[in-house]
Amino acid sequence: MGHHCCSKQKVKRGLWSPEEDEKLVKYITTHGHGCWSSVPKHAGLQRCGKSCRLRWINYLRPDLKRGTFSAQEERTIIDVHRILGNRWAQIAKHLPGRTDNEVKNFWNSCIKKKLIAQGLDPKTHNLIPSYTKNNACNLAQTCTPFTINSHMRVGETMRNVSAQMNPPFITLPPPLSHPSLHEPIEIPTTFQYEDPRITDPNSTLLWSIKDQNPHATMDLSHTSSLENPPISSSFNPSGFGFLDENCLWASCVEPLETQKLDLVEQQQKHPQQDQQQQPKMYEMDFNESNDEKRLDMENAYNRPNFDLEFMDSTLMTSGIYCNISSMEQLAWDC
DNA sequence: AAGCTAGTCAACCGCCACTCC
DNA sequence: CGGAGTGGCGGTTGACTAGCT
């Protein structure tokens, strides 16, 4: 059963001959495709319009790159796939000269296997539980969903904004190496953001972003809330982090997890004192029972104004994105 | 050399969303 | 409002090829 336009006419199927290609290219370059259903008739082809369209888009288009994917392209595919999932057409928009079909094939035939070989679930980019159990890294958690904890002090009160973002929304890169396989990328475990507008050092607002690796924690000290996304950022070539007119990112040596461990130790030593003096760390992880919040995130993702800059900064601070322009281009397709 | 297997990739299929009448 | 036509997309298939036995 074919498409509507195919059912009415006797159409040829299978591989295209050079003659057919020539006819199609000749017609489209002179007339444009216009209505695809009328293309085969005008071009003298015994194909359905849909087949012509596919052939043009996937093979005959003059701006196609073809050839093997570069390491950079592979990284881009993995990184965008981590966010968008199997939205091949959207992923392909980040790869000039590549088609969704090409990206999809490359993913299925190559990247997918590499991720599996690294013990990563190609769908979620999280560690596969069985792999984790057998892995020497001895991760206590297995496939913990990506979590954002925002500890915000508003006046004298702490307001907690926390969201769990199950894949495919955002996950951080795996703890040991990036799955692109071409080159290992060091992932900074902690980030500290200093807002120049905040003069009181005690008014620090914390964001922690945790992935499956408890040691790969991103601590964004006082950053914008989800409702107020960070201002557009630019890549800081000096190292991890970003510089822009309103934000200053800097990598921090001490992982948040270490800080938490210190807290635990101090709590054990001075349990009562601690409750009063230590900065409160409210945890409100959204588990699977909290579908409503998760749905909100999904809706937010599907909205045109989805906070891509937040994702941008999230990925960039993870050190996994080398080409910021392509991340900024995410703005168009959601 | 022949047969088998796995990988690659072009093309198809089926579905959905949109537009037009 | 609903159906037809169309474009677009993701999943899947199958032909082809390279490598191995």
Side-chain angles (χ1 to χ4, degrees):
Chain A
M1 175 182 162
H3 209 233
H4 300 292
C5 65
C6 313
S7 55
K8 291 182 179 177
Q9 50 191 323
K10 191 179 181 180
V11 294
K12 185 183 170 188
R13 297 176 188 276
L15 294 177
W16 281 62
S17 68
E19 292 75 23
E20 287 177 310
D21 283 345
E22 191 182 342
K23 283 181 181 178
L24 185 58
V25 169
K26 192 175 178 181
Y27 176 79
I28 291 181
T29 48
T30 54
H31 301 94
H33 62 76
C35 176
W36 280 110
S37 60
S38 62
V39 165
K41 181 184 173 186
H42 292 132
L45 292 163
Q46 302 244 315
R47 298 271 182 175
C48 74
K50 201 172 182 177
S51 180
C52 292
R53 174 186 163 272
L54 214 61
R55 183 64 178 171
W56 174 259
I57 289 174
N58 286 337
Y59 198 81
L60 300 174
R61 237 170 53 196
D63 58 332
L64 289 179
K65 187 184 283 183
R66 312 202 65 79
T68 54
F69 282 77
S70 67
Q72 174 62 43
E73 286 177 315
E74 182 179 326
R75 270 195 298 270
T76 301
I77 292 171
I78 294 170
D79 293 340
V80 181
H81 183 275
R82 192 198 312 271
I83 301 167
L84 299 177
N86 291 2
R87 298 187 178 188
W88 307 117
Q90 300 295 329
I91 296 172
K93 287 180 182 177
H94 294 268
L95 303 160
R98 302 293 188 183
T99 68
D100 54 348
N101 209 30
E102 215 175 352
V103 172
K104 181 170 55 183
N105 283 333
F106 182 57
W107 177 271
N108 287 327
S109 66
C110 186
I111 299 179
K112 202 173 172 181
K113 290 167 187 171
K114 286 183 181 179
L115 291 180
I116 292 171
Q118 285 204 342
L120 296 170
D121 185 341
K123 286 183 181 177
T124 64
H125 295 248
N126 285 327
L127 282 168
I128 298 168
S130 58
Y131 176 91
T132 308
K133 287 173 186 172
N134 300 329
N135 202 320
C137 62
N138 287 330
L139 296 177
Q141 296 174 259
T142 60
C143 297
T144 303
F146 172 74
T147 304
I148 297 174
N149 297 322
S150 179
H151 309 278
M152 311 177 75
R153 177 173 293 173
V154 180
E156 294 299 314
T157 63
M158 289 285 286
R159 185 163 66 96
N160 183 291
V161 177
S162 181
Q164 172 181 335
M165 303 171 73
N166 280 325
F169 305 118
I170 296 175
T171 56
L172 290 179
L176 299 178
S177 65
H178 190 263
S180 72
L181 305 177
H182 288 282
E183 51 187 276
I185 296 175
E186 290 185 11
I187 303 164
T189 54
T190 305
F191 300 88
Q192 182 174 354
Y193 168 58
E194 300 169 3
D195 191 336
R197 294 167 296 190
I198 305 297
T199 54
D200 180 7
N202 294 323
S203 66
T204 323
L205 305 182
L206 301 175
W207 268 40
S208 67
I209 300 179
K210 297 188 296 184
D211 196 16
Q212 63 272 19
N213 181 5
H215 300 291
T217 300
M218 184 181 293
D219 178 8
L220 312 180
S221 299
H222 181 65
T223 185
S224 310
S225 66
L226 285 171
E227 297 87 348
N228 301 298
I231 308 95
S232 109
S233 54
S234 58
F235 184 63
N236 174 12
S238 63
F240 294 119
F242 301 87
L243 288 171
D244 69 31
E245 56 191 13
N246 294 308
C247 308
L248 175 64
W249 293 74
S251 61
C252 176
V253 237
E254 186 180 20
L256 182 63
E257 208 64 26
T258 308
Q259 297 171 16
K260 285 186 176 178
L261 288 173
D262 291 341
L263 280 176
V264 171
E265 287 178 8
Q266 291 180 20
Q267 282 175 349
Q268 290 171 345
K269 291 177 182 175
H270 312 287
Q272 293 177 343
Q273 177 189 6
D274 175 70
Q275 286 186 353
Q276 293 179 343
Q277 293 186 354
Q278 295 298 327
K280 294 180 180 177
M281 299 285 287
Y282 296 99
E283 291 279 340
M284 193 177 78
D285 291 344
F286 296 160
N287 54 33
E288 291 190 358
S289 65
N290 206 334
D291 289 337
E292 198 174 331
K293 300 277 186 184
R294 192 144 45 98
L295 196 61
D296 287 344
M297 290 302 298
E298 292 180 16
N299 291 336
Y301 168 73
N302 289 322
R303 280 197 296 270
N305 61 347
F306 173 66
D307 187 1
L308 289 154
E309 289 182 349
F310 164 71
M311 297 197 318
D312 188 351
S313 57
T314 302
L315 288 177
M316 292 295 290
T317 50
S318 304
I320 61 174
Y321 231 91
C322 304
N323 182 2
I324 188 163
S325 62
S326 53
M327 278 311 291
E328 289 177 340
Q329 285 174 12
L330 276 166
W332 40 219
D333 54 9
C334 294

